[in-house]
Amino acid sequence: MILPIYTYGQSVLRKETEVINQDYPGLKKLINDMFETMYNAEGVGLAAPQIGLSIRLLVIDADSVSQNYPECENFKRVLINPEITEFSREAISLEEGCLSFPGIHEKVSRATKIYVKYKDEDFNQREEEIEGFAARIVQHECEHLEGEVFIDNISPIRRQLNKSKLNNIIKGNVSCSYKIKPVR
């Protein structure tokens, strides 16, 4: 089922999320719905707060960008209770967007390599090193779980330059190709 994506201004996007366990009600269906919602919006990642849930769950399928970023080929993951344990010192600034911020794209500096611990959809403990654009996606989505959003990583002047776009998102004056839940 395609779920509405919560947009900027929704309080759930600013809440720190809660750890879940394998008894979380309807988890398998929720994961499937999150992938379906993400694909429908042509995204590469989706965190639970973006569908209104304050839980530590995110889905990623970056295969669609693998032509430009080969490290994303077959990079499909479900990360439950993820924790980034290490960031490389080397960082790169690239343009990012976010499904919760339709129409806004800004350069964000992120570590080029990370180490992350998480549980997969079967609650098996995983730990992996992730590099390049795949690492960027994981960092972006994990920020959602901390109540942070990508515009927190841009300069105050860039935020100011986007103020009218941000206000339009809050007012629901935004057009996008996917179902959203604007602030009411």
Side-chain angles (χ1 to χ4, degrees):
M1 175 170 65
I2 296 170
L3 305 167
I5 294 175
Y6 284 58
T7 56
Y8 175 69
Q10 296 279 358
S11 62
V12 70
L13 295 176
R14 290 300 192 175
K15 286 184 183 168
E16 201 168 318
T17 55
E18 296 178 15
V19 169
I20 61 171
N21 62 38
Q22 57 200 60
D23 297 329
Y24 188 85
L27 184 59
K28 292 283 188 197
K29 181 179 182 344
L30 175 59
I31 290 168
N32 289 333
D33 289 349
M34 286 179 69
F35 272 116
E36 187 178 357
T37 299
M38 180 188 73
Y39 293 139
N40 179 69
E42 298 180 9
V44 294
L46 186 68
Q50 293 180 278
I51 56 160
L53 299 173
S54 288
I55 59 173
R56 297 188 71 75
L57 169 65
L58 59 92
V59 299
I60 294 172
D61 188 346
D63 197 55
S64 64
V65 296
S66 64
Q67 189 169 355
N68 293 329
Y69 305 101
E71 67 276 16
C72 292
E73 187 172 6
N74 300 316
F75 191 85
K76 183 176 180 178
R77 304 280 190 284
V78 173
L79 286 79
I80 300 171
N81 305 327
E83 178 189 355
I84 300 174
T85 58
E86 196 175 321
F87 296 86
S88 66
R89 289 180 196 252
E90 184 184 349
I92 188 168
S93 186
L94 292 173
E95 191 170 276
E96 286 185 21
C98 180
L99 297 175
S100 294
F101 291 79
I104 296 180
H105 295 84
E106 286 292 333
K107 282 194 168 192
V108 175
S109 182
R110 300 224 186 251
T112 58
K113 184 178 4 177
I114 59 170
Y115 293 88
V116 64
K117 293 190 319 191
Y118 63 95
K119 298 209 184 284
D120 66 16
E121 62 271 21
D122 297 316
F123 268 80
N124 297 310
Q125 184 67 45
R126 303 277 184 208
E127 195 168 328
E128 68 180 303
E129 176 184 280
I130 302 171
E131 295 186 63
F133 202 76
R136 173 174 295 276
I137 296 167
V138 173
Q139 289 171 79
H140 176 111
E141 299 306 330
C142 281
E143 279 183 347
H144 280 295
L145 305 182
E146 304 304 326
E148 299 170 11
V149 291
F150 89 110
I151 61 162
D152 296 340
N153 298 308
I154 64 175
S155 70
I157 187 104
R158 294 300 311 162
R159 259 194 304 279
Q160 188 62 35
L161 290 170
N162 280 294
K163 191 170 180 135
S164 66
K165 287 181 183 178
L166 293 169
N167 286 334
N168 281 330
I169 293 171
I170 290 171
K171 293 175 187 170
N173 297 336
V174 64
S175 175
C176 55
S177 62
Y178 48 89
K179 192 163 130 181
I180 61 171
K181 181 166 178 65
V183 178
R184 295 269 182 245

